[in-house]
Amino acid sequence: MHSSFSDQLAGLDLSGFSIGPAPVSTNDFPVHDAVVQTLEAVWSDLFAMVSGTALEADAEDLGWAFVNIFHRSATRKSTAVDRATDEVRALLATADGSEIHTHELETQVERAQCAEGAMIALEEMREVAAALYLNEFGSSWKPVSSSRFNHSAMLTSALVEGREFVRARSEAKRRAAMPEGTPVIFAGGRTRHPNEQDALTFANNVWATLDKVHDRVPDMVLVHGGDTKGVDRLASSWAERRNVPQISFSLDMRLGARAGFKRNERMLSLDPRYVVAFPGNGVLERLVIEAKSRRITVVDRRGPLGTSPKRAAQDTD
């Protein structure tokens, strides 16, 4: 089993993703089917190896780290693209029309394109691994301190002119950070349930509510706080299962007690179509009040087990 696991890792040949000569094309990187088959085999061998051992309790941590291998590699390539793009921008600013200068410009564009192609290939590997993580543990994979961008729809390697590359790179980064669509805010706090059945009912109500909202907003972009220990985790997992783009606004802890309210302002600045509210604290209550004052429709699910408070009151009567 150890030999099989090692062979699969070696087959990924991550060392081959270096900035090299242009042009690059999809044929220069592993094909999607090969990526899926290899990572599925590695994943299966890894968890078969720890199953039934003292490391089984650490399986989720191992799975997270496995996905993070590709995320960190893609992040390093993204940094390389940014550096090369800065060089392109500097060369454009000092263009003198000479043959030497033109050659330097073309070289930097090629370097940026090669790095970008590698970045996109590594992001694809990360997404395949993240899907395996989701299936294994039932929750969406999220990096610790960075964003999970996916530039796969914005490959610019066919471009050869410096100014076009700079513009395309800027647009690609903007679109990756802010997906196109209609924002829908999801908010809720950390909840405790007395038994597994109540927890399951609450989770089902979260998913059912988001499904109904998605039916009304087909181009929905889910906006949430990214809390990996709260109800945000359920919403994030739903979004990944439904292929809905998502944006998380983490708390800026430097703001102290104002952090939650500042996050509310940032999310509401996106002009969302709906605010979906599940049980939470006073910061969430302020979000609901502010949303209503802006005439944003609130889908209120702050009743028992994530139900509508009005329906719960009618049932009591």
Side-chain angles (χ1 to χ4, degrees):
M1 183 171 297
H2 173 74
S3 176
S4 176
F5 179 57
S6 299
D7 291 344
Q8 296 291 354
L9 282 177
L12 290 176
D13 192 20
L14 294 181
S15 62
F17 291 105
S18 58
I19 297 177
V24 292
S25 70
T26 55
N27 295 329
D28 294 312
F29 302 103
V31 298
H32 180 74
D33 288 346
V35 170
V36 172
Q37 292 173 10
T38 301
L39 294 189
E40 285 181 347
V42 172
W43 187 273
S44 177
D45 281 355
L46 175 62
F47 288 98
M49 178 180 66
V50 301
S51 178
T53 72
L55 290 178
E56 188 169 6
D58 300 307
E60 186 167 356
D61 287 343
L62 290 173
W64 185 92
F66 181 81
V67 184
N68 198 49
I69 290 173
F70 303 104
H71 176 70
R72 292 191 64 182
S73 296
T75 300
R76 286 194 293 269
K77 286 299 179 185
S78 179
T79 301
V81 177
D82 289 341
R83 287 199 302 265
T85 303
D86 288 341
E87 289 292 334
V88 171
R89 187 176 290 110
L91 287 169
L92 287 171
T94 58
D96 58 11
S98 68
E99 184 176 345
I100 293 177
H101 188 280
T102 300
H103 175 72
E104 290 180 355
L105 177 59
E106 291 174 350
T107 299
Q108 286 300 329
V109 171
E110 289 171 357
R111 286 171 59 85
Q113 291 167 350
C114 289
E116 186 177 52
M119 175 192 71
I120 290 170
L122 287 163
E123 285 182 344
E124 180 186 20
M125 291 182 175
R126 180 201 60 200
E127 293 305 306
V128 171
L132 293 170
Y133 180 91
L134 178 64
N135 289 332
E136 185 79 29
F137 303 109
S139 60
S140 178
W141 185 88
K142 183 178 182 294
V144 171
S145 58
S146 59
S147 298
R148 179 179 159 186
F149 294 152
N150 189 358
H151 300 80
S152 60
M154 303 148 212
L155 178 63
T156 58
S157 61
L159 299 175
V160 296
E161 203 277 319
R163 296 182 191 279
E164 291 183 9
F165 182 86
V166 171
R167 285 196 297 268
R169 174 62 181 165
S170 176
E171 176 65 11
K173 292 184 71 174
R174 185 196 66 79
R175 291 180 58 192
M178 181 60 67
E180 294 182 359
T182 302
V184 171
I185 294 176
F186 178 92
R190 300 182 181 184
T191 58
R192 292 180 177 272
H193 303 284
N195 54 65
E196 186 176 343
Q197 183 58 46
D198 283 358
L200 180 60
T201 299
F202 179 79
N204 287 336
N205 285 337
V206 170
W207 279 49
T209 299
L210 289 172
D211 279 336
K212 290 179 180 178
V213 173
H214 191 213
D215 288 341
R216 297 181 182 179
V217 189
D219 65 340
M220 171 179 173
V221 175
L222 187 69
V223 180
H224 58 82
D227 184 2
T228 59
K229 296 182 180 179
V231 69
D232 288 345
R233 183 174 183 175
L234 287 172
S236 181
S237 298
W238 172 88
E240 191 153 342
R241 291 284 190 186
R242 300 291 191 264
N243 293 318
V244 171
Q246 51 184 310
I247 305 171
S248 64
F249 284 83
S250 58
L251 291 171
D252 186 350
M253 303 311 296
R254 295 171 299 178
L255 299 176
R258 294 183 54 250
F261 300 103
K262 185 62 177 179
R263 179 169 65 184
N264 287 352
E265 294 176 11
R266 293 167 63 202
M267 292 195 297
L268 288 172
S269 70
L270 299 179
D271 193 21
R273 173 80 174 275
Y274 293 102
V275 170
V276 180
F278 278 78
N281 56 19
V283 176
L284 184 143
E285 300 298 321
R286 174 53 57 183
L287 174 66
V288 171
I289 293 171
E290 183 64 24
K292 289 180 178 179
S293 72
R294 300 188 185 196
R295 300 184 182 277
I296 298 170
T297 302
V298 175
V299 180
D300 196 344
R301 294 294 183 268
R302 291 175 292 168
L305 299 179
T307 57
S308 168
K310 293 182 179 179
R311 182 175 300 176
Q314 292 173 355
D315 292 342
T316 302
D317 295 340

